[in-house]
Amino acid sequence: MRPGELIRVPLSVRWRDLDAFNHVNNSKYLSYLEEARLRWMLAMPGMGMDEDVAPVVAASNLNYRRPIEWPGDVVIELFVERIGGSSLTIGHRIVDSKDGGTLYCDGNVVMVWIDRNSGRSAPLPDSVRAACR
């Protein structure tokens, strides 16, 4: 992996992901990104959460570059854009599995760690910081 790269997740496009225009519905791109984030978090000790703190998605930015068609396979690439005191900005790219130069989507997601009791932001867990290096 390159510096700052968190994970690369291959996924197959499913028939049920298609919309009336016969390409992957825009909402499914968010599902693909969520799947990749969860796989990354599963590799972290404690998944970056415990009984006191947990991450929430505070913002998402998706730039749809070209439609994804079925059948096909894609790769979701996640990388660190910014590490804050209580947040992490995760950049993403969805590319073709055979031709990584074919970009379907790029953008980022901001995750904020919150105190489960107060609902306010909490310091970014050390395990998350370590996983971002």
Side-chain angles (χ1 to χ4, degrees):
M1 289 197 303
R2 292 172 275 172
E5 189 174 88
L6 299 173
I7 194 168
R8 292 174 46 89
V9 176
L11 294 175
S12 292
V13 176
R14 301 164 301 189
W15 174 258
R16 68 178 180 211
D17 295 344
L18 304 182
D19 62 17
F21 298 106
N22 219 23
H23 54 67
V24 173
N25 184 278
N26 64 306
S27 67
K28 294 299 181 180
Y29 287 58
L30 285 167
S31 296
Y32 292 175
L33 296 169
E34 177 183 52
E35 178 70 23
R37 279 194 315 275
L38 288 172
R39 289 188 190 188
W40 171 66
M41 290 177 69
L42 283 169
M44 240 188 304
M47 291 180 51
M49 64 177 123
D50 58 28
E51 61 278 349
D52 298 318
V53 298
V56 296
V57 173
S60 58
N61 172 43
L62 282 75
N63 303 304
Y64 299 98
R65 304 297 183 184
R66 66 184 306 155
I68 301 172
E69 298 176 350
W70 181 88
D73 295 295
V74 296
V75 174
I76 315 305
E77 301 173 342
L78 300 184
F79 51 91
V80 176
E81 280 193 355
R82 181 183 172 279
I83 300 173
S86 62
S87 66
L88 174 64
T89 302
I90 300 174
H92 59 254
R93 291 171 24 99
I94 302 176
V95 298
D96 187 84
S97 67
K98 293 181 184 127
D99 174 13
T102 301
L103 177 65
Y104 297 113
C105 179
D106 61 4
N108 58 44
V109 170
V110 178
M111 296 180 69
V112 175
W113 270 255
I114 61 162
D115 179 293
R116 290 180 186 254
N117 294 317
S118 71
R120 294 199 169 117
S121 63
L124 197 65
D126 291 337
S127 61
V128 176
R129 285 188 190 281
C132 292
R133 293 188 172 99

